[in-house]
Each structure stands twice: as structure tokens, then as C-alpha cells.
Amino acid sequence: EDFSDIGNSKSISKNLEILVNEGILLRVARGIYYLPKIDKLMGALLPDIEQVAKAIAEREKARIVSSGLSAIQKLGLSTQVPLKAVYYTDGSPRKLKIGKTSLIFKRTTTRNLALKGPISSLVVRALKEMGQTKVIEEHIRIVIEKLKKEEKVNILHDAKLAPVWIRNIMLKTLNHDA
């Protein structure tokens, strides 16, 4: 689609195939190509998994959000980096292998994709993944600090979609500002 204004799909596909065969482009998935950055020691570097996931979602006109495990890591609630990049989607479920990393799209409900805030949505997914019994005061402190950077309207919106115990943690942020 990105090149539809410069030629027909058959000629575009052939030219992309030539560029892949010559090593100029890397084919990551059907219809997703990457111009690799070359490192002198490591050779062609793989693309950022999140960029690949966003490109696939854009191609399919689907929405995606990172999984709870990714949210835990992004918020700094854990230093472990997941070996699998899992995204929830309203598009097609699938599994891709990019280098040594698995990129997994899992189908989810509209409610899980309705969260608005970039930080507050991470908080909801991370805390859900951890579970109420495993969340300690240190986690709550970190979450409240992160949520201070979120717009209040997003916190209020996303808190309504969160389980009650997560909503209570999120609303503490608003009480701290008062």
C-alpha cells in the first residue's frame, strides 16, 4: 500500500524481492520490510520489536497494546526482559519469529483496548498481570510516581475500566496532588 502511487502491486513486489535478495532490505513478515542498520562487528541489526508490531497492526488496521509482562518491565516494576513480545489485539492472532525473539499477537476484548493513557494503561495491564496478592508497597510507590506524569483525564478514564483494587491505587495519585 505504501508504494501504490508509484506502481502496480506486482512490480512493487518484484522490486522488493530484488532488494531483499541483494541484502539491501530485510523481510520481517509478509508486507513488512526493514532497511537494516549495519554494525561493523555484528552485521545487520534486527529491527525494534515494538516497531515491527506497530507496522503489522497498521497494515492490518488493528489496535494493539503490549502485554502485562511488557508493561511490568516498562514501568520498572521488574528488571526482567521478556523473551517473548506479546501484544493484545483486535486483529488476527499470530506468532512470528524475529531473530531469537518471538512476536505474539493474542486476541483480546474491546475493553482491554479501550484504555487511553500511555502510562495509566501500562499500570492497569502491569498490575493485572502481577495480581493483587503480589503487589507490594514498593510497586505502589513506583506506580504512583509514574502516574504523576499522566494526564488526570486519562487516569480517571482508565481507572473506570480497571478492577476496583487497581482503581484505588490509581486514584491515590490524584489524592497525592491535592
Side-chain angles (χ1 to χ4, degrees):
E1 283 180 22
D2 291 338
F3 303 112
S4 62
D5 58 334
I6 60 172
N8 65 45
S9 62
K10 197 170 189 174
S11 66
I12 291 168
S13 293
K14 186 63 180 167
N15 282 304
L16 287 171
E17 182 183 337
I18 291 167
L19 292 171
V20 168
N21 289 339
E22 290 178 0
I24 296 169
L25 287 180
L26 294 178
R27 183 177 182 267
V28 179
R30 194 184 113 256
I32 306 292
Y33 296 87
Y34 173 67
L35 181 61
K37 294 176 182 158
I38 308 297
D39 182 83
K40 290 180 182 177
L41 297 175
M42 298 174 63
L45 301 176
L46 292 173
D48 178 63
I49 294 294
E50 191 164 353
Q51 288 178 327
V52 173
K54 286 178 181 179
I56 291 170
E58 184 180 319
R59 181 190 73 206
E60 294 196 355
K61 315 255 185 297
R63 294 178 293 169
I64 61 168
V65 293
S66 57
S67 71
L69 291 174
S70 291
I72 290 169
Q73 195 263 332
K74 286 178 183 178
L75 287 171
L77 300 174
S78 171
T79 56
Q80 293 181 356
V81 179
L83 294 175
K84 297 176 183 176
V86 180
Y87 289 85
Y88 300 120
T89 183
D90 56 0
S92 302
R94 70 182 57 187
K95 189 175 189 177
L96 301 167
K97 193 83 167 155
I98 300 170
K100 293 181 181 179
T101 305
S102 293
L103 176 58
I104 302 167
F105 292 96
K106 289 184 176 182
R107 195 116 166 96
T108 192
T109 63
T110 305
R111 182 180 181 96
N112 288 332
L113 296 169
L115 300 168
K116 286 186 177 179
I119 299 169
S120 55
S121 64
L122 286 175
V123 166
V124 172
R125 289 194 309 277
L127 295 180
K128 272 178 146 178
E129 181 71 33
M130 292 173 78
Q132 186 174 3
T133 58
K134 293 190 180 158
V135 175
I136 60 173
E137 284 301 315
E138 177 64 13
H139 297 141
I140 294 170
R141 186 192 63 72
I142 291 169
V143 163
I144 288 173
E145 280 304 308
K146 299 284 184 184
L147 282 171
K148 287 180 181 178
K149 298 173 186 158
E150 181 70 89
E151 292 184 37
K152 288 182 183 180
V153 68
N154 289 339
I155 295 171
L156 290 170
H157 176 274
D158 292 350
K160 290 176 188 173
L161 298 171
V164 173
W165 69 274
I166 296 174
R167 179 181 313 140
N168 292 337
I169 293 170
M170 294 174 75
L171 294 178
K172 282 183 184 180
T173 305
L174 302 177
N175 296 336
H176 277 239
D177 292 343

